[in-house]
Amino acid sequence: FDYVWSFTDDCFVEWSTKVPTYQPIPIGGGPGETPFSQLFVATSDTIRLTFLMDVLARKSRHCMLVGSGSGKTSLISQYLSSLDKDADGFLTNNINMSYYTDSKRLQQELELPIDKRSGRRYGPPASKRLIVFIDDLNLPYIETYGTQNAIALLTQHMSYGTIFDRADLGLRKELVDIQYMAAMNPTAGSFIICERAQRHFATFASVMPSKQDLTTIFKSLMSGHVMGFPQPVMDCVDKIVEASLVLYEDVSKKFLPSAVKFTYNW
C-alpha cells in the first residue's frame, strides 16, 4: 500500500505525490474564519484510505475503518461530504452508536431516510444509492450470551437484504440500494464485533499519523493560525512545530499511564 499505479507516468509512484498542497486559511469563529474542529489536512494515509473507500463505495461494497484516536470519523465524513447526489448518485446518512443503541432504535434510524418503492421493496429515491455511515459500531451493550442485537439486525440486512416490519411481523421488508461504512475503536465497547457481521466489511487499519505526517499537519494548521502576524512570527512556524513534536514525544515516553495515573494517555 506504499505505492499506487500512475496511469499518466505509466509506473508506480508514492502516495505522497497524490497529496494536495494545503492552503492555509484563517482559523477561528469569526466571519470568514473556519472553526478548528472543521479543519482537515490531507496526508498520505488519508489519501490512500479515501481512494480505497471510493473504489469500494462505487462497487457497492461495505467498508470499515478500525483504529483509536486516528481521525476515522473525520476522514469518512470528509469523503461523504465530497459526494454529489446528482453527479455521483449517492445519498448519505449518519448513525452514531452508543451503549443504549438496540435493534429497534437502529431499525428506526435505518428506515428514516428511505421510502417505499413497490410491494415490499424499500430504498432511497430511484437511481440513487444510500451510504449509511455507522460510527462506533461496537459500542452497543453486550447481552448475556455475548450478542449485540443492534449488530445482529445489521448482519441480517447485509446477509439477506431484508428485515421484518415491527408492526406486522408477516411483512419482510426488502431494503435495496443501501450500503454501509463503519468506524470502530477496538479499545472501547465490545472491542470486536461478531464474525458474521465482520465478514461483510472490507476492513482497514486507521493508524496514528507518522512523525512526518504530524509535521505536515501542524505546520499547515500553524501557518493558517499566524496569517496576518508580523513576518518574524510567521518565520517561526517550522521551529515551533518541531519543538512541540519533540516535547510531545518526550512527554509520552516519560509520563506513562499507571493504575493511579490512568489518564496519562498521549
Side-chain angles (χ1 to χ4, degrees), residues 155 159 194-202:
T155 305
S159 299
C194 71
E195 294 85 351
R196 290 177 179 175
Q198 185 75 68
R199 68 188 176 91
H200 291 283
F201 290 96

Side-chain angles (χ1 to χ4, degrees), residues 59-237:
K59 295 292 184 180
S60 304
R61 297 292 187 265
H62 309 300
C63 175
M64 176 189 293
L65 299 186
V66 178
S68 176
S70 51
K72 308 177 298 300
T73 302
S74 298
L75 177 58
I76 296 177
S77 299
Q78 185 76 15
Y79 168 69
L80 294 180
S81 64
S82 69
L83 296 174
D84 184 85
K85 68 177 182 179
D86 295 319
D88 299 305
F90 285 114
L91 302 176
T92 62
N93 184 42
N94 293 356
I95 297 177
N96 294 309
M97 291 281 210
S98 71
Y99 178 81
Y100 300 101
T101 303
D102 58 9
S103 61
K104 182 178 181 180
R105 179 177 172 185
L106 177 62
Q107 183 168 343
Q108 290 173 344
E109 297 201 47
L110 286 177
E111 293 179 340
L112 194 61
I114 62 177
D115 301 312
K116 184 174 182 178
R117 288 188 175 178
S118 62
R120 60 189 186 95
R121 291 169 63 90
Y122 294 78
S127 76
K128 306 294 183 185
R129 292 194 62 85
L130 175 65
I131 298 179
V132 179
F133 170 38
I134 303 180
D135 200 10
D136 295 322
L137 179 63
N138 61 324
L139 280 191
Y141 67 94
I142 303 174
E143 298 168 315
T144 305
Y145 298 101
T147 56
Q148 294 165 287
N149 59 60
I151 295 178
L153 176 72
L154 187 66
T155 305
Q156 178 182 339
H157 178 231
M158 291 190 293
S159 299
Y160 304 105
T162 60
I163 59 176
F164 288 96
D165 185 88
R166 289 187 174 267
D168 180 9
L169 294 179
L171 173 60
R172 192 167 184 173
K173 296 181 177 179
E174 183 180 352
L175 306 187
V176 297
D177 295 334
I178 298 175
Q179 60 197 75
Y180 298 99
M181 284 189 178
M184 192 176 84
N185 182 354
T187 65
S190 62
F191 307 117
I192 59 173
I193 60 173
C194 71
E195 294 85 351
R196 290 177 179 175
Q198 185 75 68
R199 68 188 176 91
H200 291 283
F201 290 96
T203 305
F204 301 99
S206 179
V207 298
M208 292 296 291
S210 64
K211 188 173 182 179
Q212 180 182 358
D213 287 339
L214 287 175
T215 302
T216 301
I217 292 170
F218 291 124
K219 278 185 179 179
S220 301
L221 297 180
M222 192 70 179
S223 298
H225 178 68
V226 299
M227 287 178 63
F229 281 65
Q231 190 62 40
V233 176
M234 298 176 66
D235 292 339
C236 292
V237 168

